[in-house]
């Protein structure tokens, strides 16, 4: 089962931070993983982002297994470059199992993602109103639920690693065929707008529609992933 890493990054020192992504992209190749999605300028996108006024960057990484992710996290090469991120940015990141993804799923088909980390402000209302809207909207846009993981309690064993996630209750990652579909999913008047309204009324925390990386992006972020887009 693959493990995604998602997060919402606020840059404090951009120049030294930018040494981190290419170094990580290169070393992930040896562990069978890589960057599979990235959204720069999250805070400037009012249509494809939510509750992200301080967020500069939203990445999605993919690792092939829990063993590979653990080996990478504890490797000397990663620990040597990790300060480029931790000393020059803030924000939550988490690595977790794709616990809703079918075992035979082809992750190469994803052209975009919706990633979010949320804290409940009205859990009862959320549980009452949100699931049917989400189910209908998922069906309309052919969305694939990749993961929904709580940070505490039952189900949190799917979380391998987390930083600065204490303010959030859960993370969700959803796959889409195109970035346009991911943005429409958030705003579509039939289901998406009401789904977004309920989500914003019952939770807080950042959300972003994120374009999948590809070989045509011109940046070293697709390195090592065992498929080509």
């Amino acid at each position: 089962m693959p493990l995604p890493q998602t997060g919402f990054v606020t840059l404090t020192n951009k120049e030294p931070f930018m040494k981190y992504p290419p170094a990580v992209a290169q070393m992930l190749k040896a562990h069978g993983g890589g960057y599979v999605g990235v959204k720069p300028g999250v805070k400037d996108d009012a249509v494809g982002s939510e509750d992200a006024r301080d967020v500069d960057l939203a990445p999605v990484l993919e690792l092939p297994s829990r063993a590979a992710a653990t080996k990478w996290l504890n490797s000397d090469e990663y620990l040597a470059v990790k300060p480029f991120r931790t000393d020059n940015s803030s924000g939550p990141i988490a690595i977790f199992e794709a616990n809703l993804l079918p075992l035979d799923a082809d992750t190469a088909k994803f052209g975009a993602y919706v990633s979010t980390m949320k804290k409940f402000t009205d859990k009862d209302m959320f549980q009452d109103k949100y699931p049917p809207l989400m189910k209908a909207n998922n069906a309309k846009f052919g969305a694939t639920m990749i993961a929904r993981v709580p940070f505490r309690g039952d189900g949190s064993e799917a979380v391998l690693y987390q930083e600065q996630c204490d303010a959030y209750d859960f993370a969700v990652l959803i796959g889409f065929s195109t970035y346009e579909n991911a943005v429409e999913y958030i705003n579509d008047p039939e289901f998406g707008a009401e789904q977004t309204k309920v989500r914003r009324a019952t939770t807080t925390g950042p959300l972003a529609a994120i374009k999948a990386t590809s070989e045509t992006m011109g940046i070293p972020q697709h390195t090592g992933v065992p498929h080509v887009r």
Side-chain angles (χ1 to χ4, degrees):
M1 180 179 291
L3 275 78
Q5 175 184 305
T6 64
F8 295 90
V9 179
T10 298
L11 300 179
T12 53
N13 293 288
K14 183 177 180 180
E15 185 174 348
F17 173 88
M18 292 309 295
K19 296 177 182 179
Y20 178 81
V24 168
Q26 292 299 323
M27 69 179 64
L28 280 174
K29 185 175 183 179
H31 297 275
Y35 283 84
V36 295
V38 62
K39 186 185 187 74
V42 177
K43 63 187 178 186
D44 299 320
D45 181 9
V47 178
S49 301
E50 172 183 305
D51 201 6
R53 66 187 68 85
D54 299 322
V55 179
D56 294 297
L57 188 69
V60 182
L61 287 71
E62 182 181 298
L63 289 129
S65 67
R66 182 176 280 262
T70 300
K71 186 176 180 179
W72 169 60
L73 283 171
N74 294 301
S75 67
D76 290 341
E77 58 181 352
Y78 176 67
L79 294 175
V81 302
K82 184 178 177 180
F84 287 130
R85 175 176 60 80
T86 56
D87 291 352
N88 300 293
S89 70
S90 63
I93 67 166
I95 302 176
F96 42 82
E97 292 176 344
N99 60 350
L100 299 178
L101 198 65
L103 292 177
D104 59 350
D106 178 11
T107 59
K109 72 179 183 178
F110 297 133
Y113 306 89
V114 166
S115 173
T116 188
M117 293 185 184
K118 292 288 186 180
K119 178 179 179 61
F120 289 117
T121 56
D122 190 335
K123 188 174 182 179
D124 290 341
M125 178 181 172
F126 179 93
Q127 292 178 329
D128 179 47
K129 294 189 174 182
Y130 198 77
L133 290 167
M134 187 175 193
K135 182 177 180 180
N137 211 23
N138 284 357
K140 179 172 182 176
F141 286 94
T144 299
M145 295 296 298
I146 298 173
R148 186 188 188 283
V149 294
F151 287 118
R152 291 164 293 278
D154 291 345
S156 62
E157 64 276 2
V159 179
L160 173 67
Y161 180 80
Q162 57 178 293
E163 287 181 21
Q164 299 183 39
C165 293
D166 290 348
Y168 305 102
D169 290 317
F170 63 92
V172 172
L173 186 66
I174 311 173
F176 294 84
S177 59
T178 68
Y179 178 74
E180 291 73 20
N181 274 355
V183 173
E184 284 187 68
Y185 175 88
I186 299 169
N187 300 288
D188 180 71
E190 185 175 9
F191 303 115
E194 184 62 23
Q195 181 185 354
T196 295
K197 181 180 176 181
V198 171
R199 184 176 61 248
R200 299 195 73 158
T202 59
T203 65
T204 60
L207 175 148
I210 301 170
K211 188 174 183 179
T213 56
S214 72
E215 291 189 330
T216 63
M217 292 183 75
I219 47 179
Q221 294 178 330
H222 200 57
T223 306
V225 186
H227 54 253
V228 176
R229 288 187 289 213

